[in-house]
Amino acid sequence: MGRRSTKFLLLLLLGTISASFLNAQTTIKGKVVTAENTPLARVTVTIKNTTVSSFTSDDGTFSITGKTPFTLVFTSVGFSPAEQVVTKADDITVTLSTKDNNLDGVVVVGYGTQSKKTVTGAISSVSADEIKNIPMPSPDQLLQGRSSGVTVTASSGEPGTAVMVRVRGATSINASSDPLYVIDGVPIVPQSLASNSFGQPTNPMADLNPSDIESMEILKDASATAIYGARAANGVILITTKRGKNGKPVVNLSTYFGSGKPWKDPLDLRVTGPQFEMLQNEGRAQDWIDTYGSLDALNASGKPYKPLYANPESAPDYDWLTPIMQTAGLYNVDASVAGGNDRIKYLVSGNLFEQEGIIRPADFTRKSFRTNLDFKASDKLKFGTSLFYSHGTRNRSQNGNNINSSLANSFFYPADQPLYNADGSYNKFIWESPIAVANETDYLMTTDRFLGNFFGDYTILPGLAFRSNWSIDYSYILENNYSNTLLNAGASVGGSASNSVIRDFNWINENTLTYQFKLGGSNSFNLLAGNTVQTNTYNITSASGTGFPGNSFRTIAAAATKNSTANESQWAISSWFGRLIYDWEKKYMFTANFRYDGSSRFGANHRWGFFPSVSAGWAMNRENFMKDVSFINEFKWRASYGITGNQSGIGNFASLGLWGGERGGYRGGGGPGPASTAAYVDYPGFAPVQLANPDLKWETTAQFDIGLDVALLDSKIRLSLDYYNKQTSDMLLAVPVPRSIGYNTLLQNYGEMQNKGFELSIGATPVATRDFTWDVNFNISRNNNLIKKLAAPINVATREYIRMEEGHPMFSFYVHEQLGVDPKTGDIIWNTGDDGVFNINTDRIIIDKSAWPKFQGGFNNTLTYKNVDLNVFFQYSYGNSVFNYNRYFFEHGGTRTTGYSAQQLDRWQKPGDITDIPRMGTKNYNNNFRPSRHVEDASYLRLKNVSLGYNLPSSVASKIKASKIRVYVSGQNVLTFTKYTGFDPEVSGGGSETIQGIDLGVMPQLRTFMGGINLTF
């Protein structure tokens, strides 16, 4: 940790500790009763945020001692928890109400909250307790396996890189399928803003501090999402951060540290130097045999056979993998102070997070600060603010789907080749040296992110309230990349440097009017009306230079040749929305939403879109015919239908006819910005680059959902089941047009896609006693994705391994189907269709495998015994496939001089061998072959997180004036069960909406072990 980081940490700790204060010990006596005034025994009484606790006796009385003022928390199985603020030594009486289906709380919905009892939409919640002490750099990664219907896939193990999140599948091909993220009411930009992906895009969500999160709600069906209209087709994730509460200042300090390594030994994936030379000899011999029939016939021809290597068994064995890797360190510290009274409530927090990647020089550092304030000016007027700032640095490494990544190149280089030449220079046997990439890469990306909002609430009349919310989401990004003369990219030009400055500014204003009232005592109404305006301005200024005096000169000012460019782009959206929530005695429920959106991105003829939804609920357990079924606490049916839209992922001027270009000629293909100059010979000019389409409009997704929520045995067993059907139409696609008009494609609304499936979540508390509790949560979901309409097939990825085509899901693999290897000859058996003759052009097909899992989910167990707690979380994916691009390159049968993957050792060698790896030689390893054997089953079961914690006795904590001390150890990605032969079945490189399930040199996730401590004062 650097000196500045240390100072930051010390100031943060001192500032938060100084906010705490101590009072004298006070003994409180009291009694706990039911609503019928019956004494309650065995009720747990705890001083909030401490380990100090007591229990009520048979007559319901208790006694507890602590430092006043404090808050007592009362919990008992079958009853709703209660809290009581205590300021002095008075006897108190507390009444506990019978727990009703575990639905006494509220969930966050769009523009407000709603009772769990009356929710008619499909909403999943993830609380702070579920995700605490999990070493993830970004909040979106914490969702993995914890919510049914939500697919979370890491693009790589590089810290701070993008994560693919899909809620009930993907609704688009060219436009974005990312969900909308709303943090404390602020819709934010989740897409990578980096100008250079360096193999993988970055993740702006990593700018946020996961420790600040109070809860995350995932809105999945149209009833829940339609209030966000044109941006809700991919689901909405609402993130609520922690805020201050009534009571004395509570100081929380926590830190953890650890390190990580690959869960699989990388040396097991490659061949040794002697094995490499043996395989090369075998491949050459096989080619001669195929030509002459036998080596004896070759020798008889007067051209005696000579192997490439005379003594393979004596070959050296150099390790190209270990030098590029590192034990990845991990460090985190959080500090916060929160408190308040009836007039003002506050929370202030700070965070320092540092994480290294397994491949040098990758690392990610984040420093963040948050303050949340709530101020009550009067009984009618309230103000509040949420301010967040973070500063992040990323040392990037070439990573993923790139043969120039150090991981991919470490396999390209044969193990019999030394890492360095005799003069100490890098051995560059082929392409770039992986050691040079690891040692010499100099790409530093810094980000400054400010996310803030200010709101005011005014109660006009009882039940009638107005809120105005003003928000900013601002990102400033600086990228510096220098390729010195020891790298191929810089050697030929005397050093190469590039620099980019990016500013992304979002300004949002939202105004809402809410009216809650009852009619006749049984009819409850909640009405919402509002409008919102958002504008975005994106600026980028880039410069580059080549020809430097030496590698010590790295600023572009020192370059002999310099170039620069700048661009600006804007978009805006304006909306009107409304909602009606009605329930009759919480038995019959109805919700209706609408939103009317206008976006600058769409054509003049379709600038505005209307997005409605309706839903209904029926609490069947409240009917008279079920009133005597006491073990059923909830049996609620839900149904919804609605329409949402998608405007993300397309250019800001996609509907306009554009002119532009670059110096030197026609640019082509259009671009995100307005026209720029182009040169014709020595004259400035411009050229047409994009056709206008005034009819361009939103992608539209119509979704039907039917669900069931059940709670049994005082909510000890909880179940939620949903079936959904999503139909997307008017997809935004570049549709081919006649070449005679001067263009290849025109962005149009053309195409249809379907996603349908089911989701099941089960929660249970099998055991709940005074000393021991056991909570279980399990979820499973299945989504079927299908492209129903497409103007023409779309081939993507290098060598077009992925194909989008009608009648198939996205991310389908387009290959030559290999049926096996002939055990007699060792040759590949191809699927040749009806003619029986293999044709490399016509026998390439889409196979019944894709990157989509058939099932996915998670299984979480939390056990507590007195002061000990254990959490075990499994995450799984079944039926997803990955194209192991590493095998394509490194299973080459001797047709290349590059290294091999370990799978090559399983090749056919003699008649009778049963294997899917053909014999060595050119015949079975044509570079134009796309054999389906490289598409592997990547199903896995992973022990994602396990943690063991211990709350020290209060007598120990009090010695340092703390109310609670918890120490713990934790492991991440501890065990992985999979048949996938690559580094990691979970990663999915590509960095694109259209590319998933490709693994080429992708940095794997780590198996991480760590220890930590949490202190509360």
Side-chain angles (χ1 to χ4, degrees):
M1 188 189 304
R3 186 174 299 174
R4 291 183 179 179
S5 298
T6 304
K7 290 181 179 179
F8 172 82
L9 175 59
L10 290 175
L11 289 173
L12 193 60
L13 294 177
L14 290 173
T16 52
I17 293 174
S18 66
S20 64
F21 59 88
L22 304 174
N23 286 319
Q25 297 282 328
T26 303
T27 298
I28 303 299
K29 296 181 178 180
K31 187 175 183 178
V32 181
V33 297
T34 67
E36 292 77 24
N37 204 33
T38 303
L40 271 176
R42 313 309 300 165
V43 176
T44 302
V45 185
T46 307
I47 298 179
K48 193 173 184 177
N49 297 317
T50 76
T51 57
V52 180
S53 63
S54 179
F55 297 91
T56 60
S57 58
D58 291 340
D59 61 357
T61 60
F62 69 92
S63 175
I64 194 167
T65 301
K67 296 171 289 186
T68 57
F70 54 71
T71 301
L72 291 178
V73 180
F74 301 84
T75 56
S76 180
V77 176
F79 292 86
S80 299
E83 294 187 4
Q84 176 74 47
V85 177
V86 178
T87 59
K88 56 184 179 179
D90 290 337
D91 290 349
I92 62 174
T93 299
V94 176
T95 301
L96 293 188
S97 301
T98 303
K99 182 182 291 184
D100 188 2
N101 306 333
N102 198 32
L103 296 176
D104 295 306
V106 297
V107 293
V108 179
V109 296
Y111 303 100
T113 59
Q114 187 175 353
S115 168
K116 291 182 180 179
K117 296 178 182 179
T118 60
V119 167
T120 56
I123 302 176
S124 295
S125 296
V126 178
S127 68
D129 287 340
E130 295 180 71
I131 57 177
K132 65 182 181 181
N133 306 320
I134 298 177
M136 287 294 187
S138 63
D140 46 7
Q141 290 178 270
L142 295 170
L143 294 172
Q144 189 172 42
R146 299 185 182 275
S147 175
S148 61
V150 181
T151 303
V152 180
T153 305
S155 60
S156 80
E158 181 183 354
T161 52
V163 176
M164 188 195 80
V165 180
R166 297 291 179 264
V167 178
R168 294 184 167 181
T171 62
S172 184
I173 293 178
N174 279 359
S176 174
S177 288
D178 291 329
L180 172 67
Y181 292 87
V182 181
I183 302 177
D184 290 333
V186 183
I188 69 166
V189 177
Q191 286 85 21
S192 174
L193 297 174
S195 64
N196 187 343
S197 68
F198 227 55
Q200 293 288 320
T202 60
N203 184 8
M205 294 295 291
D207 296 334
L208 308 175
N209 176 18
S211 298
D212 287 338
I213 294 174
E214 180 72 23
S215 68
M216 290 189 283
E217 269 78 24
I218 302 96
L219 313 185
K220 297 184 287 189
D221 73 334
S223 172
T225 62
I227 196 70
Y228 290 102
R231 294 182 287 180
N234 303 313
V236 181
I237 297 177
L238 304 179
I239 298 177
T240 304
T241 61
K242 299 172 182 176
R243 308 192 75 84
K245 300 177 181 178
N246 277 352
K248 69 173 186 176
V250 176
V251 178
N252 285 292
L253 303 175
S254 63
T255 184
Y256 61 76
F257 55 90
S259 63
K261 293 183 178 181
W263 68 277
K264 180 181 288 188
D265 188 344
L267 295 181
D268 291 341
L269 304 182
R270 58 107 197 192
V271 300
T272 64
Q275 289 171 334
F276 168 78
E277 293 190 359
M278 177 266 293
L279 289 170
Q280 287 293 89
N281 279 349
E282 186 177 325
R284 185 182 189 188
Q286 188 62 59
D287 281 343
W288 284 113
I289 291 172
D290 288 342
T291 302
Y292 287 89
S294 68
L295 293 181
D296 291 338
L298 172 64
N299 293 330
S301 70
K303 300 177 182 178
Y305 168 74
K306 291 184 180 180
L308 289 171
Y309 300 96
N311 299 297
E313 63 278 0
S314 301
D317 183 25
Y318 294 99
D319 176 9
W320 288 87
L321 278 163
T322 302
I324 70 171
M325 293 189 169
Q326 61 186 354
T327 299
L330 172 69
Y331 180 79
N332 182 80
V333 61
D334 284 291
S336 69
V337 56
N341 51 43
D342 291 337
R343 192 170 183 82
I344 186 169
K345 299 178 179 65
Y346 59 89
L347 177 139
V348 179
S349 70
N351 167 256
L352 172 63
F353 178 85
E354 298 180 1
Q355 185 178 26
E356 295 176 322
I358 191 62
I359 306 295
R360 296 187 299 112
D363 66 47
F364 172 64
T365 301
R366 179 188 60 233
K367 301 172 185 177
S368 68
F369 175 82
R370 172 178 292 279
T371 178
N372 289 349
L373 297 173
D374 296 280
F375 175 68
K376 183 178 180 181
S378 68
D379 289 340
K380 289 190 174 184
L381 183 61
K382 300 177 183 179
F383 297 102
T385 186
S386 298
L387 303 175
F388 175 78
Y389 168 76
S390 72
H391 175 77
T393 59
R394 292 172 173 86
N395 281 301
R396 304 294 310 277
S397 173
Q398 278 281 11
N399 170 40
N401 291 344
N402 192 323
I403 61 173
N404 290 319
S405 73
S406 54
L407 183 58
N409 266 357
S410 64
F411 281 91
F412 273 112
Y413 275 71
D416 67 341
Q417 293 292 313
L419 281 61
Y420 299 93
N421 297 317
D423 60 1
S425 61
Y426 295 112
N427 180 359
K428 298 191 176 185
F429 173 76
I430 184 171
W431 288 304
E432 182 62 271
S433 162
I435 314 301
V437 174
N439 292 344
E440 308 300 335
T441 294
D442 183 6
Y443 177 10
L444 179 65
M445 177 181 175
T446 63
T447 60
D448 289 278
R449 182 85 175 265
F450 176 76
L451 186 66
N453 73 329
F454 174 82
F455 61 87
D457 289 331
Y458 182 71
T459 301
I460 303 171
L461 295 170
L464 180 63
F466 173 77
R467 165 174 282 209
S468 184
N469 191 66
W470 301 78
S471 308
I472 290 175
D473 180 9
Y474 175 75
S475 295
Y476 177 87
I477 299 171
L478 177 62
E479 298 174 281
N480 286 293
N481 183 21
Y482 180 76
S483 297
N484 65 35
T485 55
L486 299 177
L487 293 169
N488 290 345
S492 61
V493 292
S496 173
S498 63
N499 173 279
S500 295
V501 177
I502 299 168
R503 298 178 181 87
D504 190 81
F505 181 80
N506 280 271
W507 172 88
I508 307 108
N509 171 237
E510 294 180 322
N511 300 281
T512 58
L513 190 65
T514 305
Y515 186 34
Q516 301 182 61
F517 62 96
K518 284 191 174 183
L519 291 177
S522 300
N523 301 281
S524 297
F525 293 87
N526 184 310
L527 302 176
L528 170 75
N531 81 294
T532 179
V533 176
Q534 179 176 354
T535 63
N536 170 274
T537 303
Y538 173 88
N539 295 275
I540 180 170
T541 302
S542 300
S544 62
T546 58
F548 289 81
N551 287 329
S552 297
F553 298 86
R554 301 196 171 200
T555 60
I556 294 175
T561 303
K562 308 178 186 71
N563 290 286
S564 62
T565 185
N567 201 355
E568 179 176 304
S569 184
Q570 293 182 324
W571 63 267
I573 188 170
S574 178
S575 310
W576 296 90
F577 54 87
R579 177 174 59 211
L580 164 65
I581 299 175
Y582 166 79
D583 77 83
W584 185 77
E585 293 187 341
K586 297 181 173 57
K587 182 190 298 186
Y588 308 118
M589 293 145 276
F590 175 81
T591 302
N593 294 276
F594 79 87
R595 185 158 177 141
Y596 192 52
D597 282 312
S599 173
S600 63
R601 287 178 169 170
F602 293 105
N605 298 338
H606 295 282
R607 187 62 47 88
W608 290 83
F610 181 67
F611 305 96
S613 75
V614 292
S615 62
W618 176 32
M620 195 168 72
N621 59 294
R622 291 182 176 269
E623 297 288 355
N624 290 332
F625 62 80
M626 290 189 67
K627 65 180 181 179
D628 295 329
V629 187
S630 59
F631 68 90
I632 298 179
N633 308 111
E634 181 189 29
F635 204 97
K636 182 174 70 175
W637 293 95
R638 295 177 283 104
S640 67
Y641 179 81
I643 297 172
T644 50
N646 188 359
Q647 68 144 14
S648 301
I650 64 168
N652 292 339
F653 309 103
S655 67
L656 304 178
L658 298 182
W659 292 65
E662 293 180 346
R663 189 171 183 82
Y666 168 55
R667 178 175 58 185
S676 58
T677 61
Y680 180 75
V681 191
D682 292 326
Y683 296 95
F686 56 92
V689 296
Q690 177 178 290
L691 278 173
N693 184 0
D695 292 320
L696 198 67
K697 59 182 180 180
W698 325 86
E699 292 187 343
T700 301
T701 297
Q703 181 176 184
F704 168 75
D705 180 281
I706 185 168
L708 174 65
D709 298 323
V710 178
L712 308 172
L713 303 175
D714 289 330
S715 296
K716 289 183 179 179
I717 300 175
R718 305 165 298 278
L719 177 149
S720 183
L721 176 65
D722 279 85
Y723 168 81
Y724 62 89
N725 190 323
K726 298 172 65 175
Q727 302 289 333
T728 301
S729 59
D730 294 327
M731 288 200 298
L732 293 161
L733 293 172
V735 179
V737 294
R739 293 291 301 273
S740 59
I741 65 174
Y743 296 86
N744 294 326
T745 61
L746 172 64
L747 187 63
Q748 300 180 43
N749 293 102
Y750 191 96
E752 297 177 4
M753 187 181 295
Q754 172 181 281
N755 289 274
K756 61 180 180 180
F758 74 87
E759 302 164 355
L760 173 64
S761 298
I762 301 175
T765 306
V767 181
T769 66
R770 171 180 173 178
D771 294 329
F772 179 70
T773 61
W774 176 24
D775 286 314
V776 179
N777 288 282
F778 170 81
N779 72 80
I780 185 172
S781 59
R782 175 183 175 86
N783 179 74
N784 287 310
N785 175 272
L786 180 68
I787 299 173
K788 298 177 64 177
K789 181 180 179 182
L790 207 58
I794 302 173
N795 294 340
V796 296
T798 305
R799 294 177 170 83
E800 299 180 340
Y801 265 103
I802 291 177
R803 185 178 177 92
M804 314 289 182
E805 185 175 308
E806 283 186 17
H808 298 277
M810 291 181 66
F811 316 133
S812 293
F813 296 104
Y814 185 46
V815 293
H816 299 109
E817 186 174 18
Q818 179 181 329
L819 302 179
V821 169
D822 189 333
K824 296 179 180 179
T825 64
D827 292 332
I828 294 176
I829 302 173
W830 299 106
N831 180 355
T832 59
D834 296 332
D835 59 9
V837 178
F838 178 65
N839 187 303
I840 202 168
N841 296 314
T842 60
D843 286 327
R844 192 174 181 185
I845 61 172
I846 293 178
I847 58 174
D848 188 24
K849 293 182 180 180
S850 76
W852 291 109
K854 295 181 179 178
F855 299 97
Q856 62 172 359
F859 179 48
N860 192 49
N861 285 270
T862 302
L863 302 95
T864 60
Y865 177 72
K866 294 185 177 180
N867 288 346
V868 179
D869 59 87
L870 173 66
N871 178 261
V872 181
F873 175 54
F874 286 92
Q875 185 253 329
Y876 64 90
S877 178
Y878 172 76
N880 58 297
S881 297
V882 168
F883 174 68
N884 192 338
Y885 219 146
N886 303 294
R887 285 185 60 183
Y888 169 81
F889 279 113
F890 310 128
E891 218 177 79
H892 55 76
T895 59
R896 304 186 184 105
T897 57
T898 58
Y900 293 96
S901 62
Q903 287 83 3
Q904 191 74 74
L905 298 175
D906 296 328
R907 71 212 178 278
W908 184 96
Q909 298 180 68
K910 63 183 184 305
D913 285 350
I914 305 299
T915 178
D916 67 340
I917 313 297
R919 61 184 173 88
M920 301 290 288
T922 303
K923 180 179 179 180
N924 292 286
Y925 294 91
N926 187 314
N927 283 338
N928 293 317
F929 289 166
R930 306 288 183 264
S932 60
R933 72 172 182 275
H934 297 149
V935 179
E936 298 188 33
D937 178 10
S939 303
Y940 65 88
L941 171 66
R942 177 163 272 173
L943 179 53
K944 195 68 179 179
N945 184 263
V946 58
S947 63
L948 178 65
Y950 177 66
N951 291 304
L952 275 63
S954 57
S955 58
V956 176
S958 63
K959 291 182 179 180
I960 62 169
K961 310 301 182 183
S963 59
K964 182 178 180 179
I965 300 177
R966 178 179 182 267
V967 295
Y968 65 93
V969 292
S970 178
Q972 188 81 1
N973 299 323
V974 178
L975 296 172
T976 301
F977 305 94
T978 183
K979 295 180 180 179
Y980 182 61
T981 62
F983 262 120
D984 191 342
E986 189 175 331
V987 299
S988 184
S992 161
E993 295 286 336
T994 56
I995 301 176
Q996 291 296 324
I998 301 288
D999 182 10
L1000 171 59
V1002 179
M1003 190 183 303
Q1005 295 186 94
L1006 304 180
R1007 174 189 286 154
T1008 302
F1009 294 99
M1010 66 180 196
I1013 182 170
N1014 301 333
L1015 300 96
T1016 302
F1017 296 89

